[in-house]
Structure formats: C-alpha cells, structure tokens
Amino acid sequence: MPPPMDSAPVPAAVAAVAAASRAFPSRRLSLRGRAPRLRLHLRLRLRLRLRLRLQGRIAGRLLLVAAAMAGGAGAVLAQGHGPVPVQAAGQRPPGATAAAPGPAPFRPALDAGMADRVIACTACHGREGRATQQGYFPRIAGKPAGYLYHQLLHFRDGRRSYPQMSYLLEHMTDGYLRDIAGYFAALELPYAPPPPPQAAPAALERGRRLVHEGDAARGIPACVQCHGAAMTGVQPAIPALVGLPRDYLNSQIGAWQTGQRRSHAPDCMAHVARQLTADDVSAVSAWLAAQPVPGTGKPAAQAPGPLPMPCGGVEASARGDAP
C-alpha cells in the first residue's frame, strides 16, 4: 500500500516535480519568465503594507503625545468630564453595556485642549478638519456628530478598512471617540469653491439624474431622498455628498460594492452601491464633486421624507447604539 501523500519522502517529491518540468519545457520557461515580475509584485506589496503600518503608528503616537501635552501623561482628559482611559484592544470601558438606554448627548468640547488632542487628525483631514476637494481625504468639520462617531467606531472595530485610521483608533474608548466626533461636528467653517467639472456634459447629466431622480427600474433611489435636498447631509447620521473630492467619492462607493466598507444591517448603502455600474459611479462622483456647497453647508435637521428603504446605520445612530 503506498504511503499517504503528506508522508512521501521529500527527494521523491522533488524528483517528480523535476520530471514534470522536463516533460513540459515551454511551461517551465513561462514560469521562469514570470518569476522576476512576481517577486517584484510581492516586494512592492510588502513595502506598501509596511509603509501603511508605519504611517498609522506614527499618527497614533502623535495623537497620544498631543493628548499627554493637553491633559497630562497617563490619562486622556475630556474637558469638564473627567478622565477618559485608553482602553486595550477588544475591551470596553468598565460597566459598559452593549446598548445604551438612549443616545448620550455629544459634547462639543470646543476648547484649546481638545484642539491639541486632534492634531493627528488634521495631518490628513486638513487644518481644523476642513480638507478641500483638491486632495483625497474628506472634510470632517461640520459633519453630523452621529455620523462621525459611528465612522470612528467602524474604523476601530473593522467595519471600514484603512490601516492608518485603524492603528490610530484601536485603543480609544467609545467615550473619547464621541468627544472627537462632537468636536469636529461643532466646527463652522467656510467651504472652498469646487474644482471645474472633470467629465463630459453627457456624463455630468447622467450623474445629475441619478442624484436627483434615481433609477426606479433598477431599484436605485435618488441620493437626495436620504442625503437631503441640498445634499449637505441630515442629522444625526447621514453625511453630505457635496464638498468631497471625486476620488474619495469613487473609492467609497467602490468600498461599499466590495464589502470593504460596511454598516449596521440592513446595510442600505451597500445595497444601493451594488446596483450602480462603473459608468454610473463615475458620472455621479464627477457631478457631485463639481457642485458648490450651498449656504453654510450645515446638515438638515430631518430628511425631506421617509427613507426609501430600511437603513441600519441611521437607526443605530438614532438609538445611540455603540456596537
């Protein structure tokens, strides 16, 4: 009886591979020719992963240093609310429960101490969180507090994928993330003008129709049904669509489509994004990125009507849940 495959002598296995290679010389040459490119690809992937990890650690250390300078080493102080401890990964603060009885109020914490503690955030999101449409990173100043808070939770807990953000937030408590969200949400800063349109007129018109009218035949609701008639978002949990870079809009819709970005079930944005074609995504992002932000850009107090479908993220924010 022949021995099991995993117990075959190594020399015999090597000889079998060599014989197969001699029998198919063209295949062997093909693999040999691809080997340098494969090694280069693997080296580049490893270099990118190491670079992202290093950037995340540097950002995290900057934030901890800023917190220590503002609130004293060993504790992160939330102004007027006592110490907020740095929690270990995977732990919750003592006495925390899975679901709070009601939404806790956001604390604006508009003080110099809080501004010092979020210096690491401004490295990517711009001074005071007012990133413009000329780069990649989104503006966070003035966005709904509930939306910002839940995005911080999603980054920390793995529902959104971006290494720098994950490393930055992995040891922060729910309470401290809530304070960060409240701080940026309370900022009222002017928006920069949009860049010139980056698509042909036909594509821009296609994007405008999808944003304002949707496509009922394909089950795509209009963007304005959820994000507000002015597209500046809706309190407390729906973000603005205007004032964002086109590349960021493209990447986020793609992340919804592939599952790299997720929310509470039922995940309405994932459902909508998966109905969009590549041309739809390009048209919508081009049109939105070219629109000026109306007025002060503040989110609306409520949606213009009932949401077109159940949306778990909105419902969780209204309940004040912290997953």
Side-chain angles (χ1 to χ4, degrees), residues 77-218:
L77 300 182
Q79 183 74 12
H81 298 279
V84 179
V86 176
Q87 75 181 41
Q91 294 181 353
R92 293 200 176 278
T97 57
F106 283 90
R107 303 189 290 265
L110 290 174
D111 58 90
M114 194 66 193
D116 289 339
R117 294 178 196 133
V118 297
I119 288 175
C121 306
T122 64
C124 294
H125 293 283
R127 179 174 172 265
E128 299 174 308
R130 60 163 101 190
T132 72
Q133 293 157 281
Q134 304 301 323
Y136 169 78
F137 298 101
R139 174 188 172 114
I140 54 179
K143 297 297 175 70
Y147 170 76
L148 292 176
Y149 173 56
H150 278 86
Q151 298 316 300
L152 292 171
L153 289 174
H154 293 339
F155 278 119
R156 189 195 67 187
D157 299 338
R159 282 175 292 276
R160 285 190 70 172
S161 176
Y162 195 69
Q164 292 95 321
M165 286 293 296
S166 300
Y167 283 117
L168 185 66
L169 305 174
E170 63 181 339
H171 297 301
M172 293 188 184
T173 63
D174 292 358
Y176 193 51
L177 297 182
R178 187 179 288 272
D179 283 344
I180 293 175
Y183 170 77
F184 282 110
L187 296 177
E188 297 183 11
L189 303 167
Y191 279 79
Q198 301 175 28
L204 294 172
E205 174 58 19
R206 179 178 185 169
R208 186 201 65 78
R209 286 199 312 270
L210 286 169
V211 169
H212 283 283
E213 302 169 17
D215 188 338
R218 291 190 288 155

Side-chain angles (χ1 to χ4, degrees), residues 212-232:
H212 283 283
E213 302 169 17
D215 188 338
R218 291 190 288 155
I220 301 173
C223 301
V224 295
Q225 289 183 263
C226 296
H227 294 270
M231 297 169 293
T232 54

